[in-house]
DNA sequence: CTTGTAAAACTAATGGTATTAGTTTATAGT
DNA sequence: ACTATAAACTAATACCATTAGTTTTACAAG
């Protein structure tokens, strides 16, 4: 195999670094190629198209999200800790978080679901109730991050407090 | 004033119709111009750029969302009815819903917040608690719609049931 | 009724995007 | 050393937004 120093992993990491440093909109064939000092068409030797690159980025980004959440201290309020870590990840690394979205369902996203499930054990929910609760929790957090990105909230009321209240409501309702 | 048959309203409605029929990605200067049988540069006589068009679209789309929610039967479970109407709007008219997001804060979005507030009156919350609850509710619903769009949920468990459970959890926690 | 002004259309051009086709280069294995 | 092939390349197509400069047209004033 000739000239195979360039791997899929290198391309994806380059693309993710671009997303993080310059925003997800900067993830273009031209920018990725520029970062790698190659021409855009060369990327098609490694990936079918940009969509495939973004899909591969999502899996890696989900992994990083998973790692960030796994290492959070559970403490007295595991659900609140998890929520804060999730929202912090999404807000402080918007390019990386956005990269994680086109991922669909896979092993990593399953692990992420399991992480939430672990924080819900003390509520001893039935299997289907648990699934609904996990979906609700993820919806809440993702919506919180995304609405913020779109300036959906007026800023004169404390955001961190809103998150705490929101998680509080959710926990009481479980 | 010469040739003023083309108004901002006509342009925005054309753009919204494009978003609804062909998806939000189809909202381009070229496509809007084509729909109006003019050339793309002519649009700059009416709007500064595409961003301004999208911002104007957002206000109109928010108005349509507001109208769709206002006309829902409150019934015995006003919060659940509102949630279902919101999610139905977002899922059945994805282009229009996406159009509504770049809107920021304005009179229409305030009216939308008021609509949610009205559905929360029976819980007699304090002013700041109410704001947090509204943010939580919107986050939940927007996140639910957006995660679904990104295929964030596995489809083997009933989605409608998840929505009902999620709202149920939220209501109990209030 | 002509004429001038200004709005709103136009054409042409620039520079950005993804993608495909076809060609060259370089390397790994025979 | 030779050959096959992966991986780079160039060139081209077809989109996209945007700007500059020009023409058209409709209305309002003389």
């Amino acid at each position: 195999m000739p000239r195979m120093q360039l791997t899929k992993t290198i391309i994806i990491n380059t693309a993710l670094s671009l997303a993080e440093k310059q925003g997800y909109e900067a993830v273009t064939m031209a920018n990725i190629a520029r970062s790698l000092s190659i021409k855009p068409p060369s990327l098609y030797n490694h990936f079918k198209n940009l969509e495939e690159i973004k899909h591969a980025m999502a899996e890696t980004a989900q992994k990083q999200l998973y790692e960030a959440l796994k290492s959070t201290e559970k403490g007295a309020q595991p659900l609140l800790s998890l929520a804060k870590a999730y929202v912090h990840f999404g807000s402080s690394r918007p390019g990386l978080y956005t990269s994680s979205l086109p991922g669909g369902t896979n092993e990593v996203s399953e692990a992420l679901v399991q992480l939430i499930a672990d924080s819900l054990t003390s509520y001893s929910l039935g299997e289907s109730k648990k699934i609904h609760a996990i979906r609700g929790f993820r919806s809440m957090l993702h919506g919180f991050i995304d609405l913020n990105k779109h300036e959906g909230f007026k800023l004169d009321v404390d955001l961190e407090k809103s998150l705490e209240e929101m998680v509080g409501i959710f926990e009481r309702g479980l």
Side-chain angles (χ1 to χ4, degrees), chain A residues 125-138:
Chain A
L125 306 162
E127 194 54 36
S128 89
K129 283 249 183 195
K130 193 167 70 182
I131 291 177
H132 298 311
I134 292 169
R135 286 181 174 181
F137 191 68
R138 287 178 64 199

Side-chain angles (χ1 to χ4, degrees), chain A residues 8-151:
Chain A
K8 288 198 178 201
T9 304
I10 292 174
I11 293 171
I12 295 308
N13 287 340
T14 301
L16 284 171
S17 153
L18 211 47
E20 202 159 356
K21 289 183 192 143
Q22 298 178 228
Y24 193 67
E25 324 71 45
V27 178
T28 66
M29 289 306 224
N31 282 338
I32 298 169
R34 194 184 346 270
S35 298
L36 292 165
S37 304
I38 61 175
K39 305 295 174 189
S42 302
L43 289 168
Y44 291 84
N45 287 315
H46 304 274
F47 290 95
K48 192 161 105 341
N49 51 32
L50 182 58
E51 189 186 344
E52 207 180 73
I53 290 179
K54 287 182 173 177
H55 200 269
M57 286 170 71
E59 194 146 346
T60 303
Q62 281 178 351
K63 228 171 275 175
Q64 291 189 240
L65 173 57
Y66 172 78
E67 292 301 327
L69 299 186
K70 187 169 59 109
S71 62
T72 59
E73 286 303 322
K74 305 285 168 3
Q77 293 169 286
L79 216 53
L80 182 58
S81 301
L82 189 63
K84 285 191 174 185
Y86 192 105
V87 170
H88 179 260
F89 185 95
S91 304
S92 67
R93 308 176 74 179
L96 194 55
Y97 181 72
T98 301
S99 298
S100 79
L101 295 177
T105 304
N106 53 59
E107 313 79 39
V108 192
S109 70
E110 284 304 310
L112 233 112
V113 165
Q114 190 52 48
L115 211 58
I116 301 175
D118 292 345
S119 297
L120 289 173
T121 45
S122 60
Y123 295 94
S124 51
L125 306 162
E127 194 54 36
S128 89
K129 283 249 183 195
K130 193 167 70 182
I131 291 177
H132 298 311
I134 292 169
R135 286 181 174 181
F137 191 68
R138 287 178 64 199
S139 294
M140 211 169 60
L141 300 180
H142 171 65
F144 192 83
I145 292 167
D146 204 57
L147 284 183
N148 256 117
K149 191 176 69 191
H150 285 291
E151 318 221 29

